[in-house]
Amino acid sequence: MGQVEIVLNSLPMSGGDGPDSYSKNSHLQRRSASLLRETIDKLIMEKIDARTLISCTNTFHIADLGCATGPNTFFLVEDIIKSVDTSLQSNSTKPDFLVFFNDLPSNDFNTLFTSLPPDRSYFAVGVPGSFYSRILPQSSVHIVLTVGATHWLSSVPKEVLDKSSKAWNKGKVHYSNASEEVVKAYEEQFGRDMERFLEARAKEIVSGGLLVVGMCGIPLGMPFSNLADSIIIMYNSMADVLIQMQSQGLISEEQVDTFNVPIYSASPEEVAVLVEKNGCFTVEFMELMDPTAWLKRPMDVEDVRQWIVCIKATMGSLFINHFGDHLLDDIFDRLTTKLVGLTEKVESSYREKVMLFFALKRK
Ligand SMILES: C[S@@+](CC[C@H](N)C(=O)[O-])C[C@H]1O[C@@H](n2cnc3c(N)ncnc32)[C@H](O)[C@@H]1O
């Protein structure tokens, strides 16, 4: 199977709750997401009229798209429920809350559901399917949230895998440091995907409802390779590790050349154009943030190790699908060694505003 199909069918975070699992290694994502909490609370208080939204059924519907296996999704959902509850304070009947947990069908929903907080104040529903298409009924949800998921493209752009194309991305794993054609192929893929994402959400979110998105971002016009961000050092190191393994005969040149990480960082302006084109939403909030603002001291070797453990839990399945299960630990051990050796460089490049946070209101 080519990588184009692999992404959609099996992109899951490491399942279960073992030492290498996403559920045990997603604290960095949680810390970054916690930077959004205050703004989400303010948006709920100021931008939506919760009482009118639930007037027919007295049930408030929330969806988390790309929820993975938990526990981050539970914290985010609980924060939203608290904010909605506060905004409804004087309402005599407390509403029921229904939460749709969405992810790709190959996600480990068993781990998600077995770890649902037993004392939760909401009903939980699993929604398997790609958020690049319709996953919920027409006008069925009041707040849709998605954190750390919409930078995953629906697939690796075809041109990047095509030897005869100018966008053939030989010897690289991403569009950072790649040719202009590769960058354009990723950019266009994101444009197509985000268009489909917004079209689907416009159908699913009720008028007056909110769509809140946290994803990888970048300032407008800044070439990815100019961004002094640790993630670039990581992609470049990944390519170095694969080329080293190729030279040792552990993987083939073909395998290296056809491996690409389908992650795209969007600028606020790029998203604003797509929102305008869609026409169904108003932009209520749009900002680039530093996802590491919570880290109050310089990053050390142990932080770098922890960071790679989180990356392994997040991207491991891409490597397993492409290179096989047996090479996963070797690849990540080499990557850890390489990046630990670059700790100072990683630290000095760690404070960029590379998390894009935006909130849209359905007209
Ligand atoms: C890094 S995890 C983030 C999980 C969670 N939101 C958090 O903050 O911890 C990204 C999740 O998005 C999911 N995802 C990626 N593309 C998706 C798509 N097209 N449809 C649904 N889920 C998707 C992945 O399977 C993964 O579980």
Side-chain angles (χ1 to χ4, degrees):
M1 202 197 293
Q3 205 185 351
V4 174
E5 297 125 275
I6 281 172
V7 174
L8 254 191
N9 293 339
S10 55
L11 178 70
M13 307 296 101
S14 287
D17 59 1
D20 288 340
S21 64
Y22 184 77
S23 65
K24 287 277 180 336
N25 295 294
S26 52
H27 45 278
L28 294 185
Q29 285 90 337
R30 165 147 172 69
R31 290 205 151 130
S32 303
S34 69
L35 301 168
L36 314 180
R37 188 189 297 153
E38 235 173 76
T39 314
I40 294 179
D41 180 59
K42 213 162 165 250
L43 285 162
I44 291 173
M45 294 299 182
E46 293 172 6
K47 302 290 182 188
I48 62 169
D49 178 356
R51 194 168 318 171
T52 308
L53 289 181
I54 58 165
S55 57
C56 298
T57 58
N58 208 35
T59 304
F60 199 95
H61 295 180
I62 299 165
D64 183 17
L65 313 188
C67 62
T69 50
N72 298 350
T73 182
F74 307 136
F75 299 121
L76 282 163
V77 160
E78 272 156 25
D79 286 339
I80 289 182
I81 290 178
K82 267 187 220 141
S83 302
V84 173
D85 252 344
T86 313
S87 82
L88 284 168
Q89 236 165 27
S90 55
N91 196 8
S92 47
T93 352
K94 203 172 147 54
D96 284 333
F97 286 92
L98 178 62
V99 180
F100 301 103
F101 290 98
N102 156 260
D103 208 291
L104 292 170
S106 52
N107 183 53
D108 181 1
F109 280 98
N110 281 338
T111 294
L112 177 82
F113 290 136
T114 46
S115 52
L116 273 166
D119 55 349
R120 66 189 176 277
S121 57
Y122 53 87
F123 298 97
V125 176
V127 180
S130 170
F131 50 52
Y132 291 124
S133 57
R134 282 286 301 284
I135 44 170
L136 291 167
Q138 182 97 18
S139 299
S140 62
V141 64
H142 301 118
I143 294 185
V144 171
L145 170 78
T146 172
V147 178
T150 45
H151 46 243
W152 283 99
L153 300 174
S154 67
S155 62
V156 174
K158 281 195 202 70
E159 310 87 300
V160 165
L161 298 171
D162 176 1
K163 264 188 194 161
S164 64
S165 160
K166 280 192 173 164
W168 166 238
N169 202 20
K170 186 171 172 50
K172 304 212 166 73
V173 302
H174 188 246
Y175 66 94
S176 50
N177 271 335
S179 70
E180 254 176 52
E181 287 84 4
V182 174
V183 177
K184 191 158 174 278
Y186 267 80
E187 193 180 293
E188 289 177 355
Q189 182 71 52
F190 174 74
R192 286 191 294 273
D193 285 345
M194 191 39 82
E195 254 181 75
R196 281 160 58 201
F197 179 84
L198 291 173
E199 265 170 35
R201 301 302 81 75
K203 297 209 171 87
E204 296 163 355
I205 300 175
V206 300
S207 171
L210 267 190
L211 169 60
V212 180
V213 181
M215 61 177 287
C216 292
I218 190 168
L220 176 69
M222 180 182 277
F224 203 89
S225 50
N226 283 17
L227 191 71
D229 183 50
S230 51
I231 202 84
I232 299 202
I233 301 174
M234 199 266 298
Y235 286 134
N236 293 343
S237 300
M238 251 181 207
D240 291 349
V241 162
L242 295 180
I243 285 167
Q244 182 192 55
M245 289 175 78
Q246 178 199 323
S247 72
Q248 294 170 349
L250 294 167
I251 51 181
S252 68
E253 186 178 352
E254 165 93 13
Q255 277 177 304
V256 177
D257 291 344
T258 52
F259 181 77
N260 289 275
V261 178
I263 288 186
Y264 184 78
S265 300
S267 71
E269 292 78 1
E270 202 173 357
V271 170
V273 167
L274 294 165
V275 173
E276 174 81 28
K277 188 171 171 202
N278 171 274
C280 297
F281 296 95
T282 53
V283 178
E284 302 296 334
F285 188 90
M286 179 88 74
E287 213 169 83
L288 282 169
M289 295 170 138
D290 167 11
T292 59
W294 51 270
L295 188 63
K296 302 289 180 219
R297 55 171 175 76
M299 223 185 164
D300 60 21
V301 166
E302 199 37 48
D303 293 320
V304 174
R305 271 189 221 287
Q306 278 304 311
W307 175 48
I308 301 305
V309 172
C310 286
I311 303 242
K312 187 180 178 187
T314 307
M315 295 189 189
S317 63
L318 280 182
F319 287 85
I320 292 175
N321 281 320
H322 200 80
F323 300 104
D325 211 353
H326 62 294
L327 287 178
L328 182 71
D329 288 343
D330 193 1
I331 293 171
F332 277 86
D333 288 350
R334 289 171 191 245
L335 187 61
T336 307
T337 308
K338 194 159 178 62
L339 286 166
V340 160
L342 296 173
T343 298
E344 260 179 51
K345 204 170 161 199
V346 172
E347 160 53 28
S348 64
S349 67
Y350 210 62
R351 310 285 171 184
E352 298 274 355
K353 290 192 170 184
V354 289
M355 178 164 68
L356 173 62
F357 179 35
F358 61 93
L360 311 178
K361 187 168 171 172
R362 179 70 172 97
K363 288 182 189 164

